[in-house]
Amino acid sequence: MAAITINEQQLHPLIASEEMLLVDFWAPWCGDCRRIAGPYDEIADEHAGRMTVVKINVDLFPGIREREEIRRIPTLRLYRKGEVLGQIVEPPAKADIDRFLAPHLPTKQQLTDAHIHDMIIIGGGPGGYTAALYAARAGLDVLLVEQLSAGGQMALTHQIDNYPGFPEGVEGYDLAQQMRAQAERFGAKTKIATVQQALLSGDIKEISTSDGLIYAKTVVLATGATPRELGLPCEKDLLGKGIAYCAACDGMFYRDKVVAVIGGGDTAAADALLLSRITKQVIVVHRRDQLRATKIYHQPLMDAENVTFHWNNEVKELRHNDRQLTGILLRNTLTGEETEVPCDGVFVSIGRKPASQLAEGQLLLENGYIVAGETTETSLPGVYAVGDVRTKKLRQVVTAVADGAMAVHMAEEYLAGK
Ligand code: NAP
């Protein structure tokens, strides 16, 4: 049973009702909203009969964001008898939604699956799902664990123009769904859960998830990377109130406003271009005197009339009132001169940090990346690292999918030698 789509007139009687009500406030352009859609339907299934699970598109009912005070989406809010019992905003994993709901509902019994898989893949980005495809086609018993939906960072990428086979480009979310469908066509299974711990040494690897223990002879770590933060005071508090890390997800909130983009790499350049089409003005702040981004971005950015640059500058402070960000204080890296720049939003586009926590203390790491070469073999037998989490020169969708194929090839050799 999927979550029910409702309109504004239906919402108010449901809020007032005796039955517990879970509402997903979402919009079609929001990448995170699309990513939680699958897990949200699963929640509707799991709790059928215990609460009503609905979703409402805030774009169709313009006043609803003000009236219900929705500041970021997706917001999942729980109501009963007209009262708000709690809410969770932009949940990073289904396990977070389960944890949020747990005090209000009978807890789900944790299951232990003693079955030993040939391969467990942790992470459902392009590297993970390519490994799942190759493993399933090779006849391996493979399970992929993903915390929210297929695609990882790719699912939040508005348009991918450099993945071969798509002359007009392809939306990251759509490509992710197709990769998952392709792997599942050959028998790969997906488990939506968060991996809390992975014991990677020994012949049988033990993976502890929010949904119980699972076991495998080989493990592919495809956990990707997450956005790097500026590390400034109040940065976390201002998330969704002026600070954002994903232009494709949050750009629409800044329509006709003034935003700053921090960084000079491909992400910053792509974000600045995307935002130049939505916002009134884009101010690019970069600590060097030129972009490091690929040349293809330079001319379109220079040509965009509403894009300006603050070269050799870094953000020293975030200015804000008690509700939201109001501007930034810049410091020139050469002269030390400080400049106040009023703006409504700041997109932090300064790169990514590898999600390698599961490997800490077990695998060799270098600057946080799991050390693995072209073969994707790590410092432990039967354990492979693919995509953005491994040491490599070029982190792209196309290199992640190549890693996924290679990991399975190496795992097959390893399993054959056992
Ligand atoms: P990146 O290439 O590492 O660039 C990060 C940028 O942020 C650099 O300009 C860096 O400045 C700046 N920076 C880092 N820390 C900072 C701080 N604390 N304060 C201010 N600035 C800071 O990261 P990315 O742009 O996210 O790209 C990551 C990978 O994804 C790359 O391989 C890229 O090619 C790929 N990517 C590709 C595409 C595409 O092809 N369409 C799109 C997005 C990303 P410095 O230059 O001074 O170090």
Side-chain angles (χ1 to χ4, degrees):
M1 197 184 92
I4 305 159
T5 295
I6 59 161
N7 60 36
E8 195 171 2
Q9 286 71 40
Q10 292 167 305
L11 178 66
H12 297 294
L14 282 172
I15 288 179
S17 117
E18 296 262 321
E19 181 156 359
M20 200 156 358
L21 173 75
L22 182 66
V23 186
D24 171 13
F25 294 92
W26 73 288
W29 46 263
C30 150
D32 280 330
C33 298
R34 293 205 299 185
R35 295 194 70 206
I36 72 155
Y40 194 67
D41 282 342
E42 275 186 29
I43 284 166
D45 256 352
E46 287 166 16
H47 297 291
R50 279 187 249 143
M51 66 174 173
T52 309
V53 181
V54 301
K55 55 201 292 183
I56 186 158
N57 176 350
V58 296
D59 271 6
L60 295 181
F61 310 103
I64 207 163
R65 278 195 14 220
E66 279 303 310
R67 274 195 294 283
E68 292 297 322
E69 293 186 16
I70 304 297
R71 308 198 69 170
R72 282 153 62 198
I73 56 171
T75 290
L76 307 190
R77 191 174 285 169
L78 200 58
Y79 299 89
R80 186 175 210 164
K81 293 188 201 166
E83 270 181 43
V84 176
L85 301 180
Q87 70 172 32
I88 181 165
V89 178
E90 293 179 13
K94 178 172 178 281
D96 295 293
I97 310 174
D98 290 337
R99 250 194 312 277
F100 158 65
L101 293 174
H104 304 283
L105 293 160
T107 50
K108 214 172 38 162
Q109 202 189 346
Q110 299 238 309
L111 294 171
T112 297
D113 175 3
H115 175 77
I116 298 170
H117 299 276
D118 290 324
M119 177 179 281
I120 287 177
I121 299 163
I122 306 176
Y129 268 112
T130 305
L133 168 67
Y134 273 68
R137 283 194 83 222
L140 300 185
D141 165 7
V142 58
L143 177 70
L144 184 146
V145 189
E146 162 57 45
Q147 58 180 357
L148 195 59
S149 80
Q153 304 163 79
M154 181 178 83
L156 296 175
T157 306
H158 182 59
Q159 165 117 342
I160 296 173
D161 278 330
N162 55 359
Y163 189 70
F166 296 91
E168 304 303 323
V170 58
E171 251 206 75
Y173 180 82
D174 295 340
L175 184 57
Q177 295 303 317
Q178 289 177 35
M179 285 183 179
R180 175 175 174 172
Q182 192 175 359
E184 291 183 348
R185 192 179 126 215
F186 292 98
K189 299 258 185 310
T190 300
K191 182 184 188 74
I192 302 290
T194 298
V195 174
Q196 292 144 342
Q197 199 185 21
L199 301 177
L200 300 171
S201 57
D203 283 352
I204 305 299
K205 328 287 182 198
E206 183 183 291
I207 313 295
S208 164
T209 80
S210 54
D211 209 17
L213 286 175
I214 45 177
Y215 302 91
K217 295 174 197 162
T218 63
V219 169
V220 174
L221 293 162
T223 42
T226 52
R228 203 175 286 286
E229 293 158 10
L230 289 167
L232 292 171
C234 295
E235 186 175 351
K236 282 192 170 58
D237 299 335
L238 290 168
L239 181 62
K241 299 172 188 167
I243 291 284
Y245 297 89
C246 170
C249 321
D250 297 333
M252 289 299 221
F253 282 130
Y254 297 89
R255 183 175 285 286
D256 300 326
K257 297 198 167 167
V258 177
V259 297
V261 172
I262 318 302
D266 281 339
T267 303
D271 285 356
L273 261 185
L274 174 71
L275 291 165
S276 72
R277 295 182 209 118
I278 302 169
T279 62
K280 186 161 82 181
Q281 196 196 348
V282 179
I283 302 154
V284 177
V285 177
H286 186 28
R287 62 188 183 185
R288 295 178 193 246
D289 61 0
Q290 57 179 318
L291 294 174
R292 148 212 291 248
T294 325
K295 284 276 175 280
I296 193 158
Y297 287 116
H298 291 214
Q299 205 53 47
L301 268 181
M302 302 299 160
D303 290 347
E305 281 175 5
N306 60 348
V307 178
T308 55
F309 297 86
H310 278 277
W311 302 114
N312 299 312
N313 268 278
E314 60 191 10
V315 184
K316 190 175 170 207
E317 279 172 39
L318 301 172
R319 299 290 194 220
H320 58 93
N321 55 30
D322 54 358
R323 278 175 61 85
Q324 62 199 40
L325 178 117
T326 53
I328 45 182
L329 176 67
L330 299 185
R331 184 186 154 278
N332 189 299
T333 53
L334 303 178
T335 63
E337 187 192 340
E338 295 187 348
T339 315
E340 290 283 354
V341 178
C343 60
D344 305 294
V346 168
F347 285 80
V348 181
S349 310
I350 60 170
R352 320 221 158 247
K353 49 179 191 272
S356 56
Q357 303 85 325
L358 292 172
E360 272 169 22
Q362 301 188 78
L363 300 180
L364 203 56
L365 302 184
E366 190 181 287
N367 299 323
Y369 292 94
I370 299 173
V371 174
E374 285 303 302
T375 65
T376 75
E377 291 167 296
T378 67
S379 49
L380 278 179
V383 181
Y384 309 89
V386 307
D388 283 10
V389 76
R390 89 162 169 93
T391 46
K392 55 157 72 176
K393 286 273 185 211
L394 184 62
R395 295 192 172 84
Q396 305 264 291
V397 177
V398 78
T399 61
V401 301
D403 284 358
M406 178 58 90
V408 174
H409 177 74
M410 299 313 295
E412 280 187 277
E413 280 189 3
Y414 168 81
L415 289 168
K418 281 268 136 201

